[in-house]
Amino acid sequence: MSTVTQPRKNAPAAHAATGGHRAAGSGSGSGRRKVRGREERSPLASAGLHGALIVASLVAVFPIAYMIFISLRGRAGWTRPTSAEGGLEISNYTYVLTETAFPQWFANSVLIAAGTTLIGVFVAASTGYAISRMRFPGHKSLMWVLLVTQMFPVAVLIVALYNILGRLGLLDSYLGLILTYCSVSVPFCAWMMKGYFDTIPHEIDEAGRVDGLTPFGTFYRLILPLAKPGLAVTAFYSFLTAWGEVAFARAFLSTDSMLTLSVGLQSFIGQHKAEWGYLTASAVIITVPAGLVFLLVQRNLVAGLTAGGTKG
Amino acid sequence: MKTATADPATAVRPARAGLLTRMKRSYDRHWYAWAMVLPVVLVIGVLIAYPLGRGVYLSFTDANELNVAKQLGATEIPATYQFVGFDNYWRVLSGADGEFYPKLLWTVVWTVSCVFFHYTIGLGLALLLNRKVRGRSLYRVLLILPWAVPAFVATYIWRMMYNSESGIFNAVLGQLGMGPVDWLGDTFMQKVAVIGVNVWLGVPFMMVAVLGGLQSISSEQYEAAEMDGASPWQRFRHVTLPGLRPVSATVILLGTIWTFNMFPIIYLMLGEANALHSEILVTYAYRLAFGSVRDYAGAATYGILILSMLLVFAVFYRRMLNRQEVAR
């Protein structure tokens, strides 16, 4: 195999010319098929490639497009899923925004998710740096703890947290839920920040040290400003995590005006009545702004997630 | 940022003078690092370790809604639950409570099939996107879109589409001349339905992660393989897959953990009454804790069991990867 060294484009010609020298060993007879390179493909393969990508894109986009379509079809539009009769209207949106508790839920969600994010990122950044740069006793076990906390099913902590928050009078409060979400976001933020700090060259730290900065000074003055994109991505991810959380919110919140979106939306589709028009309108309002920001940061997001893991 | 980093002095551990000199020396060398990780250690200790300890304790008791301490009006009723040792674990693991093994089986099927589809579809799409294709960035954005939708929103959209009377799926089936499918009522179709939603939601993450991994494989390796006359399949098998190993290992581990614990899709898709046969362990434990009679001890027991299983899995998975790494 290793003896075929001609440039692949004119392989057959070269074959004939040099064939005599290497007739033995290689076993590449004249009937050997030309190997197709990575960037060459037949028109048929091209069509197949585009076909597969188009089908996959349709599957990916359809539910979202359908959600937007139904939300614009008025209150009863969802009962005729395939007809566009009667045109589009925004009545669902005006109803949801003016007649329901949706704006309140939205504000609750923003407040709780923002609180979680702030605490999570502030607390976690220095830890991510320490794990990335310093080899201290306990370094390995802390890495493990951060990974293990990713495995905590809600069921492990939820009963104990419920009892503890109940005793502290923090059930059905913003602070209670923010603290709860910190149990999810803090280890996660530290994990992601570690991955990001790993990508910043160590020479910068050394330069700082040579200039007489303490490790804190290096971190605060040199590294943290460089890590702004990483901080932003981490913050955004923990925001989204808190934004979409269901289990804790449902168990810990009970007053209607305190609900977050993930719990409140349920009331549009109770056991007996289903207001899918209102629900889809709310869903669009929730998804579109967050989705746009998400698309801006997603590339960095994955890098952060996997970097934290691969270099453990 | 300031609060986390500017006042490390207040976060410094108390001096350990008078203890072993080894500890003193270690402290002198590492107090920077310890001070920097202290906030996270505190948060983990207070918000995770302590509740976890409580959870473990509860799993050894018979605590439920009726016998825990509670406030009735002005009077405080003290807790009357008792320590019962391994009773809960025994009841669950011996099969006496009848729910554990069927739910475990379904949870494993759910996790394996979801992660399998996530990874294979994600890998396939990443391979397609990694070629020179016209409109590649447009395809990429369209394919990532599901990831931008919060899980609870996605679940509601799909629940609407699955609706047996006015859902789009049955409407399409009807126009094709086929009868309606009871997507969310039939036990088997429920399972198909929830796996479908989770696959739809989870593929973009895998795709982007694998794409990143593909782009980090140097093109020289492919050129060398081409020179050697490797077929596309051989190149995939011997260059692409090994090159993806670090990324794959991480995303499969994360994906397994996330899927095993995936709460919102199953809980919201099927509602509380409808899900008895399609619950995974996590949603079942949740229903134990907050169902009609709140069985705190039972929920805690399930929680600890789930955590133990994931831990064992993670340890074996890492060890297996390490062994492969050495063998290569």
Side-chain angles (χ1 to χ4, degrees):
Chain A
M1 202 172 273
S2 57
T3 47
V4 185
T5 51
Q6 298 87 359
R8 53 189 147 80
K9 281 274 162 55
N10 46 13
H15 220 141
T18 58
H21 292 292
R22 38 180 220 86
S26 83
S28 54
S30 55
R32 192 171 173 283
R33 268 196 321 146
K34 178 173 165 269
V35 172
R36 203 181 283 284
R38 274 182 308 147
E39 301 303 348
E40 306 162 36
R41 58 175 175 261
S42 64
L44 194 68
S46 247
L49 181 59
H50 279 282
L53 284 172
I54 288 169
V55 170
S57 302
L58 283 178
V59 173
V61 172
F62 177 76
I64 301 167
Y66 184 65
M67 161 179 85
I68 297 172
F69 173 69
I70 291 295
S71 74
L72 291 169
R73 293 279 294 132
R75 187 172 168 189
W78 65 277
T79 54
R80 297 182 304 277
T82 51
S83 114
E85 191 186 332
L88 305 177
E89 47 182 296
I90 57 162
S91 60
N92 285 327
Y93 289 86
T94 49
Y95 181 86
V96 162
L97 287 173
T98 57
E99 306 286 321
T100 68
F102 177 80
Q104 176 72 47
W105 300 333
F106 197 92
N108 293 342
S109 279
V110 170
L111 194 78
I112 290 173
T116 308
T117 307
L118 281 179
I119 299 180
V121 176
F122 278 172
V123 168
S126 67
T127 299
Y129 178 72
I131 306 177
S132 165
R133 295 300 154 89
M134 304 175 188
R135 293 291 167 267
F136 53 92
H139 166 267
K140 262 222 133 86
S141 35
L142 188 59
M143 282 286 293
W144 257 104
V145 168
L146 293 183
L147 180 67
V148 167
T149 51
Q150 288 287 301
M151 290 174 216
F152 275 48
V154 281
V156 177
L157 298 182
I158 199 162
V159 170
L161 276 171
Y162 182 84
N163 293 341
I164 293 165
L165 292 181
R167 213 169 311 142
L168 296 174
L170 288 176
L171 286 176
D172 211 14
S173 76
Y174 295 130
L175 182 62
L177 213 53
I178 291 177
L179 286 177
T180 306
Y181 288 164
C182 279
S183 73
V184 182
S185 79
V186 164
F188 188 74
C189 289
W191 175 261
M192 294 247 298
M193 286 314 299
K194 186 247 173 208
Y196 195 84
F197 289 130
D198 282 345
T199 66
I200 298 176
H202 287 227
E203 287 78 24
I204 295 177
D205 301 60
E206 283 155 24
R209 221 60 73 71
V210 170
D211 287 347
L213 283 172
T214 64
F216 298 124
T218 316
F219 170 66
Y220 184 61
R221 299 224 189 139
L222 296 180
I223 304 297
L224 213 46
L226 284 175
K228 266 180 196 153
L231 288 170
V233 168
T234 309
F236 179 69
Y237 198 82
S238 58
F239 187 93
L240 278 194
T241 308
W243 181 253
E245 204 283 330
V246 176
F248 287 119
R250 183 166 291 259
F252 294 178
L253 301 175
S254 47
T255 317
D256 197 44
S257 65
M258 290 297 295
L259 301 185
T260 57
L261 290 167
S262 59
V263 186
L265 246 55
Q266 177 82 39
S267 63
F268 290 140
I269 42 165
Q271 287 294 40
H272 305 294
K273 59 163 182 81
E275 296 287 0
W276 287 108
Y278 301 155
L279 188 123
T280 45
S282 316
V284 172
I285 302 172
I286 296 166
T287 306
V288 168
L292 290 179
V293 183
F294 175 87
L295 288 179
L296 289 177
V297 303
Q298 43 83 17
R299 199 180 282 262
N300 306 320
L301 235 164
V302 182
L305 263 176
T306 49
T310 49
K311 293 181 196 146
Chain B
M1 239 99 304
K2 285 201 172 79
T3 47
T5 55
D7 50 5
T10 57
V12 169
R13 292 177 159 211
R16 293 239 186 117
L19 288 178
L20 291 167
T21 30
R22 265 204 11 239
M23 285 178 80
K24 174 88 175 76
R25 214 172 294 146
S26 166
Y27 167 80
D28 282 342
R29 260 192 50 206
H30 297 295
W31 73 271
Y32 280 116
W34 284 335
M36 290 182 106
V37 302
L38 187 66
V40 164
V41 171
L42 279 180
V43 169
I44 290 178
V46 173
L47 289 176
I48 300 178
Y50 176 66
L52 177 65
R54 282 286 304 170
V56 172
Y57 172 71
L58 280 176
S59 72
F60 289 116
T61 68
D62 60 358
N64 61 34
E65 192 178 8
L66 304 173
N67 59 19
V68 293
K70 54 185 167 272
Q71 197 98 30
L72 260 190
T75 50
E76 180 107 12
I77 299 173
T80 55
Y81 58 82
Q82 288 172 345
F83 192 80
V84 296
F86 282 95
D87 255 28
N88 293 317
Y89 290 98
W90 175 245
R91 222 160 17 95
V92 171
L93 291 175
S94 68
D97 89 335
E99 301 285 355
F100 180 70
Y101 289 104
K103 303 239 183 285
L104 174 64
L105 178 66
W106 160 231
T107 308
V108 170
V109 171
W110 149 264
T111 307
V112 170
S113 44
C114 285
V115 174
F116 173 79
F117 287 122
H118 283 159
Y119 187 74
T120 48
I121 300 177
L123 174 66
L125 292 175
L127 287 172
L128 297 182
L129 281 181
N130 198 37
R131 289 155 162 266
K132 285 209 171 65
V133 183
R134 200 168 299 149
R136 172 158 70 172
S137 39
L138 177 66
Y139 284 129
R140 194 171 176 283
V141 168
L142 293 179
L143 288 170
I144 283 174
L145 275 178
W147 193 11
V149 181
F152 71 95
V153 171
T155 311
Y156 285 133
I157 306 175
W158 280 80
R159 193 168 147 184
M160 175 175 72
M161 298 199 300
Y162 282 133
N163 189 302
S164 56
E165 281 135 44
S166 317
I168 180 105
F169 289 144
N170 279 351
V172 171
L173 284 180
Q175 292 191 343
L176 294 174
M178 283 184 267
V181 173
D182 189 7
W183 295 99
L184 299 180
D186 179 70
T187 310
F188 178 72
M189 291 319 291
Q190 280 181 348
K191 294 181 176 175
V192 174
V194 287
I195 290 178
V197 181
N198 194 31
V199 169
W200 182 79
L201 257 177
V203 161
F205 166 72
M206 287 288 187
M207 183 188 78
V208 179
V210 172
L211 197 55
L214 285 177
Q215 281 158 0
S216 72
I217 302 175
S218 76
S219 59
E220 283 147 39
Q221 289 192 47
Y222 284 107
E223 279 155 24
E226 275 178 35
M227 296 286 190
D228 290 350
S231 68
W233 169 248
Q234 286 171 324
R235 291 199 296 265
F236 175 72
R237 182 80 185 63
H238 298 289
V239 179
T240 309
L241 281 185
L244 283 177
R245 176 163 290 156
V247 170
S248 304
T250 309
V251 293
I252 289 178
L253 181 61
L254 279 178
T256 307
I257 293 168
W258 288 341
T259 312
F260 203 90
N261 289 331
M262 175 54 83
F263 180 82
I265 292 182
I266 288 180
Y267 187 79
L268 294 180
M269 181 66 96
L270 303 173
E272 272 152 78
N274 209 1
L276 297 179
H277 301 288
S278 306
E279 277 176 320
I280 55 175
L281 290 171
V282 170
T283 52
Y284 179 69
Y286 187 82
R287 201 160 56 84
L288 280 180
F290 298 101
S292 46
V293 173
R294 300 182 166 189
D295 179 5
Y296 294 139
T301 309
Y302 268 86
I304 303 297
L305 285 173
I306 295 168
L307 180 62
S308 328
M309 287 187 281
L310 286 174
L311 273 177
V312 170
F313 168 77
V315 168
F316 274 100
Y317 186 76
R318 294 292 276 228
R319 200 169 287 168
M320 191 186 76
L321 289 178
N322 288 343
R323 201 173 304 143
Q324 282 180 357
E325 206 62 32
V326 172
R328 275 192 326 132

